[in-house]
Each structure stands twice: as structure tokens, then as C-alpha cells.
């Protein structure tokens, strides 16, 4: 179905020129000689993009845009304005327009801008749809996965989130420990209250207590004003201690007292301040071994380790690599205005064989390089393609119906993309859809 563009200009000759141009490009058009007429047409018809003059006799272009945005926040709007009215065009952009062109119009540039806006909206839609699909079927919040180890973790998150119990999240760097903590907070009764992060590895030992507890004016050189700390900022909400294994021993005992007594004193102060917060902590260290080595207090460890969640490495959930890669590919292409790139079978096979020391964070960086430079990093070349490494969700096997269904869902029911993942043609995929009586949404066929 052709995209429909609403042309708004009080000069008939401009309307007709734009009308002929857009029709020749394959678009449908609606014509309006005023903002009032355009608003009525917008209410009556499906409109995919608006081209509007900025200076009109009755309703101004800026007022027209504001009224459109009250009705629809997503329809693309391009402003057409005289060169001398660029300042007004900037005002229109602030009111909700997406772009502007100066008169006399460069029609080639107009074609490019229209095409780009439609591509951007399509990417936005595909990404939001994919993200919703992945969240609904294979993840919670912003954590994506469908491997057994991830499903067990999702169940544990759902079980502990509604409670006030401390949780210790252990895992290698880049596995998403902060995302787990955010998910627990978002599903808790404290979700509308602050989620405060303290990165214990990034704060010098001499400053950690000032950051945690805050300080009173004059408590040390440079303390010109009173400042509240992260604990106080988390009142009613959740305090997340990232890399808690880096917390100095001298501060561990003081923080333990806060957890036990729910009150503390600012640095340089004497008044006890009551506080109500939930504590979540994360570490890439084995805290039990840190306790044995005398680098972490055992009493604080047992206070934090009421419930432990292990954030699995990517090596332990390689079946999630195709799923994560597809999501990152769409996300990165959208962010950088790039065309979607398919991941080849050889590339995927190398990715499945690679050990991923940087985990999911490294995977995202790898996909970003693939989007921009069209190649994997050099270190992947030593990992030869192995047919056995390719997950079932990317090829046909004995469980053909299940694989076809999963691949269609993974690709948001894009027939061409699903066929490529499965290594068959579009016609062959349609035949299998019919053979297995798979219900496909009408919009894809």
C-alpha cells in the first residue's frame, strides 16, 4: 500500500508541483490550502507524512504542527520555508517538526529527506516490535535470553523482586549484573522510588564514605556545604552497590551497621539519620574466597548473600547468541541510520565458537563493528566455521515445524529474513508454512 503524504500550502501552484512530484514517486497525496483544512483531512484519513508551509494566512505552520502533535506524536512532519525564515523553522522543529527545507525547493533533496524519514520510522517500529517480542517471549525488562540457565534466572528474579531481601548478584564483567539489579527494582514495591547506583570500583578509598554517607559543612577541607550521600538518596528505594568486593574493609563495618540499624551519621556529623532502603549488591569476584583471604568481612558477606543470583557468562548461554545478535543488529543500525545487515552462517558459526571473555558487552561491540565495517574482529578468524556450532534456530532439522515457527518469530515474521536464516528460499518457506499450518499475521503476507 502506497504511503500517503498530506501537502499543506496556501499557494496552489506549489501544491500542484509537489502533488505531481510525489505521485510520480509512487506516493498517494492529500492537498490542503490551509491548516484548518489539513486538520480535517488528517482526522478523516490515514496520513503517513506531512509537508507543510510555515507561513500561511490563517493558522500558522507552528500552530498547525502543535495541533497535529496533540493528535499524533509519531507522524513525520517536514517544514517548507523561505530562506529568510530559518529562525521560524527552528521554532517549528522545537514544536515537533522532524525536518525543514528552504524554498526554492531542491526536489532531489526533498525525495531523500522523505525516504529517510520513512526508513527511520520503519526501523523504530521494527526495533520496538522486536524488543517487545523478545521481552514477551524470551526475557524480562531489558534482559534477553531463552536458554535454560536464563529461564532459571528469570524465575529467580521474579521470585525475589517483590520482597525486601538483600540480593547478591555474582558474575563476570559484561554479563549484565546492573540490568538484573534494575529488573529486581522495577518489579518490586519500591519501583516508583529511587534506584541509586554506587560503583565501588570507581570511587577512591578516601572518598567512599563521603559518597555513601554524605557530609556536614566544614567536616573537612573543601566541605563548603552540606551534602547528602547515596544512602540518603535511596530513601524508600533501592541502593545498588556495584563491584561491592572493592568496598574498603574500613567502610564495610560502617555499611554493615547501616543495614542492621537502618540509621547512620553523615561524615563530620553527630545526628542519627533514619533510612529505609533495600540493598542489592554485585561483584565479579568470589566473595567467599575474599572472606577466606581476609579482604571482605564475613558478617557483611552473610548480610548481603541472603539470596544469590548468578549472572551467567555468554559461554554458558551460547544458544542466546543469535537472539542477542539480531536484537543488537537492529538497535545499532537504527542508532546509526544504517541499513539492516544479515549475519552470515560462517560469521555466526565463528561467533558460536568464540569464547567471549567480554560476554554480552563484547558481543554488542562485535555486532557494532559488523554493522559499520562489515567484518568481524581479526581474532575471530582463528575460529573456523563449524556446522555443529550453528544453533537449531538457524537451520532446518528433525524438529522442522518448531524451528520454522521460532525463526519467523525471531525475525518479526519477515519472510525474506527468516528464509535466509533457515538457508532456504522464500517459496520453500511458504511451502513449509502451509505444510505445518503455521498461522502468520496478515500484515506479513
Amino acid at each position: 500500500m502506497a504511503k500517503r503524504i498530506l501537502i499543506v500550502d496556501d499557494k496552489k501552484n506549489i501544491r500542484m508541483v509537489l502533488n505531481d512530484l510525489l505521485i510520480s514517486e509512487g506516493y498517494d497525496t492529500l492537498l490542503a490550502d490551509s491548516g484548518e483544512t489539513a486538520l480535517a483531512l488528517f482526522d478523516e484519513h490515514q496520513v503517513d507524512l506531512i509537508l507543510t508551509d510555515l507561513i500561511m494566512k490563517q493558522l500558522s505552520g507552528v500552530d498547525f504542527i502543535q495541533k497535529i502533535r496533540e493528535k499524533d506524536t509519531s507522524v513525520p512532519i517536514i517544514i517548507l520555508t523561505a530562506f529568510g525564515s530559518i529562525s521560524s523553522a527552528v521554532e517549528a522543529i522545537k514544536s515537533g517538526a522532524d525536518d525543514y527545507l528552504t524554498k526554492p525547493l531542491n526536489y532531489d533533496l526533498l525525495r531523500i529527506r522523505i525516504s529517510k524519514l520513512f526508513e527511520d520510522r520503519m526501523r523504530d517500529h521494527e526495533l520496538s516490535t522486536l524488543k517487545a517480542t523478545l521481552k514477551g517471549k524470551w526475557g524480562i525488562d531489558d534482559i534477553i535470553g531463552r536458554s535454560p540457565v536464563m529461564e532459571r534466572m528469570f524465575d529467580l528474579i521474579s521470585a525475589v523482586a517483590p520482597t525486601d531481601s538483600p540480593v547478591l548478584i555474582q558474575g563476570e564483567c559484561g554479563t549484565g549484573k546492573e540490568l538484573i539489579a534494575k529488573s529486581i527494582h522495577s518489579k518490586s514495591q519500591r519501583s516508583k522510588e529511587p534506584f541509586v547506583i554506587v560503583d565501588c570500583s570507581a570511587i577512591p578509598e578516601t572518598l567512599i564514605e563521603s559518597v555513601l554517607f554524605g557530609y556536614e559543612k566544614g567536616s573537612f577541607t573543601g566541605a563548603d556545604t552540606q551534602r547528602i550521600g547515596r544512602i540518603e538518596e535511596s530513601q524508600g528505594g533501592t541502593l545498588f552497590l556495584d563491584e561491592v568486593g572493592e568496598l574498603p574493609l574500613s567502610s564495610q563495618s560502617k555499611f554493615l551497621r547501616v543495614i542492621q540499624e537502618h540509621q547512620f551519621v553523615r561524615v563530620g556529623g553527630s545526628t542519627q539519620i533514619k533510612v529505609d532502603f533495600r540493598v542489592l549488591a554485585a561483584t565479579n569476584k568470589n566473595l567467599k574466597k575474599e572472606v577466606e583471604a581476609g579482604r571482605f568481612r564475613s558478617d557483611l558477606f552473610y548480610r548481603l548473600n541472603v539470596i544469590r543470583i548468578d549472572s551467567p557468562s555468554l559461554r554458558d548461554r551460547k544458544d542466546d547468541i543469535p537472539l542477542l545478535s539480531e536484537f543488537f543488529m537492529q538497535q545499532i543500525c537504527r542508532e546509526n541510520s544504517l541499513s539492516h545487515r544479515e549475519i552470515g552462517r560462517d560469521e555466526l558459526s565463528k561467533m558460536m565458537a568464540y569464547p567471549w571473555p567480554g560476554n554480552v558487552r563484547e558481543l554488542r561491540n562485535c555486532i557494532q563493528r559488523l554493522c559499520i565495517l562489515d567484518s568481524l574482529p581479526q581474532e575471530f578468524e582463528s575460529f573456523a566455521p563449524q556446522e555443529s556450532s550453528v544453533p537449531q534456530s538457524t537451520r532446518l532439522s528433525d524438529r522442522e515445524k518448531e524451528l520454522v515457527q521460532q525463526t519467523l518469530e525471531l525475525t518479526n515474521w519477515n519472510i525474506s529474513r527468516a528464509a535466509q536464516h533457515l538457508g532456504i528460499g522464500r517459496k520453500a518457506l511458504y511451502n513449509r508454512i502451509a505444510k505445518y499450518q503455521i498461522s502468520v499475521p496478515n500484515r506479513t503476507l
Side-chain angles (χ1 to χ4, degrees):
M1 183 177 178
K3 298 288 187 183
R4 180 176 291 135
I5 298 177
L6 173 58
I7 302 170
V8 190
D9 200 300
D10 55 8
K11 296 180 178 61
K12 183 177 180 180
N13 62 324
I14 293 179
R15 292 199 305 274
M16 299 315 298
V17 169
L18 289 173
N19 181 65
D20 293 343
L21 173 70
L22 295 175
I23 287 177
S24 70
E25 293 293 317
Y27 298 113
D28 285 342
T29 59
L30 294 170
L31 307 182
D33 59 3
S34 69
E36 290 85 349
T37 303
L39 287 171
L41 289 172
F42 188 82
D43 289 337
E44 295 172 7
H45 302 274
Q46 171 64 41
V47 174
D48 299 301
L49 185 142
I50 298 173
L51 288 177
T52 179
D53 190 17
L54 185 59
I55 309 299
M56 294 185 286
K57 293 180 180 178
Q58 298 177 355
L59 189 66
S60 73
V62 171
D63 291 339
F64 169 66
I65 292 168
Q66 289 175 343
K67 289 184 179 296
I68 287 292
R69 285 295 175 237
E70 291 173 2
K71 299 172 180 288
D72 190 318
T73 59
S74 63
V75 62
I77 301 175
I78 298 178
I79 291 291
L80 308 178
T81 182
F83 181 76
S85 301
I86 291 179
S87 59
S88 298
V90 172
E91 182 185 355
I93 294 290
K94 292 179 179 178
S95 298
D98 296 271
D99 204 348
Y100 76 91
L101 290 172
T102 57
K103 298 178 182 178
L105 294 174
N106 180 324
Y107 295 117
D108 288 334
L109 184 58
L110 177 62
R111 293 187 187 95
I112 292 171
R113 296 286 179 83
I114 291 174
S115 177
K116 184 178 184 303
L117 280 173
F118 280 139
E119 288 177 2
D120 289 346
R121 287 304 188 274
M122 184 176 295
R123 286 196 194 99
D124 288 346
H125 175 71
E126 287 181 352
L127 182 61
S128 61
T129 302
L130 177 65
K131 194 168 185 177
T133 300
L134 293 179
K135 283 183 181 180
K137 291 181 176 293
W138 301 310
I140 58 176
D141 296 322
D142 289 327
I143 313 171
I144 294 168
R146 61 178 174 182
S147 56
V149 66
M150 291 299 287
E151 289 181 355
R152 289 194 294 271
M153 189 183 77
F154 294 150
D155 290 341
L156 188 52
I157 289 173
S158 298
V160 304
T163 73
D164 257 352
S165 173
V167 178
L168 179 63
I169 306 165
Q170 289 197 168
E172 297 175 11
C173 292
T175 56
K177 298 187 291 294
E178 184 176 322
L179 288 178
I180 295 172
K182 287 181 177 178
S183 179
I184 293 172
H185 174 73
S186 71
K187 294 180 179 301
S188 73
Q189 297 179 351
R190 299 175 180 266
S191 60
K192 295 182 180 179
E193 302 301 329
F195 177 80
V196 178
I197 302 173
V198 178
D199 185 351
C200 299
S201 66
I203 304 171
E205 183 173 349
T206 54
L207 297 179
I208 188 68
E209 291 186 15
S210 297
V211 171
L212 282 173
F213 304 110
Y215 54 81
E216 299 290 353
K217 180 179 179 181
S219 57
F220 53 84
T221 303
D224 299 327
T225 60
Q226 181 193 76
R227 178 164 295 184
I228 67 172
R230 296 289 194 268
I231 293 173
E232 203 167 346
E233 289 177 1
S234 67
Q235 177 70 256
T238 301
L239 180 70
F240 174 52
L241 295 182
D242 197 10
E243 299 306 339
V244 69
E246 303 297 331
L247 191 65
L249 271 171
S250 58
S251 302
Q252 291 177 23
S253 60
K254 295 179 181 179
F255 185 70
L256 173 64
R257 192 174 301 115
V258 177
I259 298 176
Q260 292 172 330
E261 301 174 3
H262 294 283
Q263 58 184 11
F264 68 98
V265 177
R266 296 193 191 106
V267 174
S270 57
T271 303
Q272 292 284 348
I273 300 171
K274 293 187 178 297
V275 65
D276 170 37
F277 67 94
R278 180 185 192 176
V279 62
L280 305 177
T283 180
N284 61 6
K285 295 182 176 181
N286 184 324
L287 283 193
K288 198 166 186 179
K289 290 184 177 179
E290 292 296 297
V291 170
E292 293 170 356
R295 292 187 292 266
F296 202 86
R297 292 181 62 100
S298 60
D299 45 6
L300 179 57
F301 169 68
Y302 290 116
R303 275 285 180 176
L304 297 176
N305 194 38
V306 177
I307 296 173
R308 193 183 82 191
I309 294 179
D310 293 316
S311 182
S313 69
L314 194 55
R315 297 183 301 281
D316 295 330
R317 47 178 297 213
K318 284 194 171 183
D319 285 349
D320 290 332
I321 289 176
L323 198 67
L324 288 162
S325 299
E326 176 67 16
F327 174 71
F328 290 146
M329 181 68 74
Q330 291 211 24
Q331 186 182 62
I332 292 165
C333 287
R334 171 184 171 275
E335 290 173 353
N336 294 278
S337 299
L338 299 171
S339 299
H340 186 277
R341 183 201 189 281
E342 299 294 342
I343 300 174
R345 291 177 64 83
D346 285 355
E347 292 169 330
L348 183 59
S349 183
K350 291 177 181 178
M351 291 165 65
M352 295 296 293
Y354 184 70
W356 297 107
N359 294 294
V360 178
R361 184 182 297 134
E362 184 183 8
L363 174 61
R364 192 186 191 283
N365 293 342
C366 175
I367 297 300
Q368 186 168 13
R369 176 192 170 96
L370 201 57
C371 287
I372 297 171
L373 299 181
D374 201 34
S375 66
L376 291 170
Q378 184 64 35
E379 55 265 31
F380 282 75
E381 294 306 313
S382 60
F383 295 89
Q386 300 174 9
E387 186 67 18
S388 60
S389 296
V390 180
Q392 289 183 329
S393 58
T394 62
R395 64 184 182 192
L396 296 176
S397 70
D398 294 337
R399 296 187 297 161
E400 192 171 54
K401 179 179 178 180
E402 179 184 355
L403 295 176
V404 170
Q405 178 85 32
Q406 288 181 351
T407 305
L408 284 165
E409 292 174 346
L410 173 63
T411 57
N412 195 24
W413 299 91
N414 184 305
I415 299 298
S416 297
R417 196 178 303 161
Q420 184 171 356
H421 275 295
L422 291 166
I424 60 177
R426 285 170 54 91
K427 184 176 180 180
L429 179 53
Y430 278 119
N431 289 339
R432 283 170 174 81
I433 290 172
K435 174 182 176 181
Y436 297 122
Q437 298 180 338
I438 296 173
S439 177
V440 182
N442 292 333
R443 59 184 172 80
T444 64
L445 300 176

